[in-house]
Every structure is written in C-alpha cells, then in structure tokens.
Amino acid sequence: ISGVDDVHVFISSGENVHLPCNNALHDCKSTTWIYNRFSNSSAVELIALGIKKKDTESHERLSLGSDCSLNIKNITKEDYGYYSCRQYVNDKQQGADAHVYLHVLHVSSSSSQTEISAGSSMTLSCQLYSYSSAGGSCDDYSGRSQGIGLLWVNQAGDKLKISDSRYQISAPGHCIFTLNTTLLNEDDNREWRCEVTQGDQVKSSVTYTVKISAQDKTTTAANPVHITDSEDHRDTQPAVTMISVSAAAFAVFLLVFCLIWRKRAGNKRGTDGSSVKDENEDKGTYETINMSIPAAARDNEQTDDGIYSEISSFG
C-alpha cells in the first residue's frame, strides 16, 4: 500500500518479506536501514552504509538486496514495526527517509499440543501486529482511506458469521479476532483461515489445520475385524478328523495283533485242555473287542481273520 512517503507491507509469520527502498541511489553503499518497533522506542540500526550490523537480534535473517531493499527471512510477530531507508553521501543525509510499515499477521491456538482430542474446546486467536503509538483500531494503519479488518473463513472460503451456533467469534482486544469451537471427529484435517483485508482485497492470511488425536478417530483401523478361532481352523478340521480315524483303526489293529500273539504263546505253553480254555477266553475277548471298534475298522475284520488263521497254522 503506497502513499507519498510510506509503504504498508502485510505479511504472515513464517514467510519471507521484501521491504523496498524508494529513495535508493545508484550505489547501495550509501543505504542505511533503521528500525523502530514503537513510536517511543529507540531506533535500531540494521544496515549501515550497505553493511549489515551484527549486534542485532535478527541480523542472521537480514540481507540487502541489489536494489537496496531490506530482505527478512522467516518473519516473526516481533518483526512488525516502522522501517526507514536513509541515504548518506559523505556523511550527509540525502533527501527524506523512505518509510515502510510492516504489519505481521499471526495465529495462535489455545492448545500447545499438535493433536487435539475430539470434544475439546479450541480457541484460535488471530492478531495483526502493527506499529502504533497508543493502541486504537486497525483502521489507524489504513492510510486514512479504506479500513483494515480481520475475518475468519472456513475451508470453502465462506466467511464465518457470529450467528453460527457452532462458533463463538469475538474481538477481545486491539486488532485481535478469536474463533472458539468444540471439535468433532470430522474436524480432523479441517482448515480455518484468518484474513486481513483492506476494503475488498485480502492482504495476507494464515491457515490453521486441525489434527484430531488418533485415539479419538472413529475408523475401521481403530477396530479391526479379527477372524475367530473357528474361522481360522475351519479348513483344517476335516484333515484332523481323518487323521484321528486312521489312528484309531491302527490302534485296533495293534490290539488284535497282540491278542493273536498271546494266543499263539498260550498254545505253546499250555495243555490241550488249557489251550481250549484259553482259546475260548481269547475268542470271547476278541468278539467283545470286535463289537466295540468303529465301523471303519470293521471293514478290515475279514483281513484280520485271514491273518489270524495264517498265524494259527504255524502253531
């Protein structure tokens, strides 16, 4: 915003700024930049005859452009104020100062955490830091023409209204505009933007993005679907059943074989009478066992009888 003797520059904190020197001579060795934060504060010399001063807090972020402009990196809210570009030749000032008013827009949150829980109340404070002698309204820096104002807009660019029941918007102090709301799960990654305007023009803006804490997000990731044990082993049950039946049949086969072996041994040791007795007892035992074995094992009964006859013949 240019006037006869001054320039107003609006910038958001964190950005880089270029302050023009409208009275520069052909050689920047004659250029001196002076800074005042307040009208009643002492002036600080930033650049002296084209050379950067190293005893200032911001000297590492300062540089002199080829057109004698003052460049400031990574602007902070403390950089606002009144900058003067002055020319010296042979220790004599040449002409009037070129004035630059730097206005810094800054947004802060009531929460210091990077992620906020859903259901929490959050207050965003948007403030325009400007050079002033004794407070007043933001209109004091408009060059007495069009007023300078602050406003909040949503992600779609619509102006937030005081009548909106979800938001409480207020102006608690000098060039401060606050937004208060209760956060919802769906507010994750939602953006709210503070804008500084002059008339119908947006001069600068700051966007704040909300991050809802992970434990408050209602997503399928927070409640994954787990396969139950019955589902995990559904395909393995037939195989287990088959193995169990085979093992049972093999056990029955071993038991029958043992009984046959015992009978053979008994025939060798005993008399004819005892052999007949043992045979009858073993036959009864065999029949009892045969009635209790599974149907799958009975299919082998005929084969077992053949084995039995073959072994008996050796006796």
Side-chain angles (χ1 to χ4, degrees):
I1 308 170
S2 299
V4 177
D5 298 319
D6 55 22
V7 174
H8 290 261
V9 175
F10 294 85
I11 196 72
S12 301
S13 56
E15 297 182 344
N16 301 331
V17 70
H18 172 90
L19 304 182
C21 179
N22 290 338
N23 63 358
L25 302 178
H26 65 279
D27 189 353
C28 291
K29 292 181 180 180
S30 61
T31 300
T32 295
W33 277 96
I34 299 172
Y35 167 69
N36 288 82
R37 180 172 295 174
F38 310 105
S39 59
N40 56 354
S41 63
S42 300
V44 178
E45 200 171 55
L46 304 176
I47 304 289
L49 300 177
I51 300 175
K52 182 172 62 175
K53 305 285 286 188
K54 295 183 179 181
D55 56 349
T56 60
E57 295 179 1
S58 58
H59 78 275
E60 293 182 352
R61 297 185 290 117
L62 302 178
S63 65
L64 192 63
S66 59
D67 57 353
C68 305
S69 61
L70 180 64
N71 300 317
I72 309 176
K73 295 181 179 179
N74 192 22
I75 284 289
T76 69
K77 61 184 180 180
E78 288 78 17
D79 290 326
Y80 78 92
Y82 176 67
Y83 292 79
S84 300
C85 183
R86 186 175 299 173
Q87 304 298 322
Y88 287 97
V89 175
N90 297 326
D91 295 331
K92 293 183 179 180
Q93 183 174 345
Q94 303 296 307
D97 291 348
H99 302 151
V100 180
Y101 294 87
L102 180 62
H103 311 271
V104 179
L105 187 66
H106 180 76
V107 169
S108 60
S109 171
S110 57
S111 175
S112 59
Q113 300 177 347
T114 56
E115 294 186 347
I116 311 174
S117 300
S120 301
S121 177
M122 179 189 69
T123 299
L124 298 178
S125 178
C126 178
Q127 184 169 356
L128 182 65
Y129 290 84
S130 298
Y131 177 87
S132 175
S133 58
S137 66
C138 290
D139 289 339
D140 291 341
Y141 319 111
S142 63
R144 304 301 179 185
S145 55
Q146 295 175 305
I148 293 176
L150 300 175
L151 58 90
W152 282 101
V153 298
N154 60 19
Q155 196 161 313
D158 300 324
K159 179 180 178 181
L160 298 182
K161 300 178 181 179
I162 298 178
S163 59
D164 193 323
S165 60
R166 192 189 166 188
Y167 305 105
Q168 294 79 49
I169 299 175
S170 61
H174 170 61
C175 288
I176 302 175
F177 212 38
T178 61
L179 167 66
N180 178 269
T181 188
T182 299
L183 295 177
L184 306 175
N185 279 327
E186 52 264 34
D187 287 330
D188 186 41
N189 289 323
R190 188 183 299 276
E191 295 179 351
W192 285 291
R193 187 169 68 253
C194 178
E195 297 179 345
V196 55
T197 62
Q198 184 186 33
D200 296 331
Q201 296 182 350
V202 177
K203 295 301 178 182
S204 188
S205 65
V206 176
T207 299
Y208 185 90
T209 303
V210 175
K211 295 291 185 183
I212 301 297
S213 56
Q215 63 267 24
D216 293 325
K217 297 177 184 177
T218 307
T219 62
T220 55
N223 298 286
V225 177
H226 295 283
I227 300 175
T228 61
D229 291 341
S230 60
E231 292 174 330
D232 289 339
H233 301 291
R234 184 179 299 164
D235 294 336
T236 62
Q237 287 178 355
V240 173
T241 303
M242 292 178 64
I243 294 173
S244 299
V245 172
S246 299
F250 182 71
V252 171
F253 174 78
L254 289 178
L255 181 60
V256 172
F257 182 81
C258 290
L259 290 174
I260 295 171
W261 182 82
R262 286 181 56 193
K263 178 172 178 57
R264 179 184 176 187
N267 288 338
K268 289 183 177 181
R269 292 193 306 266
T271 61
D272 293 338
S274 62
S275 297
V276 173
K277 181 178 179 181
D278 292 339
E279 181 178 356
N280 291 335
E281 290 176 355
D282 293 338
K283 183 177 181 181
T285 303
Y286 172 78
E287 291 176 350
T288 302
I289 295 173
N290 188 46
M291 294 296 292
S292 62
I293 64 177
R298 292 180 187 175
D299 294 339
N300 298 325
E301 180 180 1
Q302 188 174 5
T303 304
D304 295 338
D305 289 342
I307 297 173
Y308 176 78
S309 298
E310 182 178 352
I311 296 174
S312 297
S313 65
F314 287 101

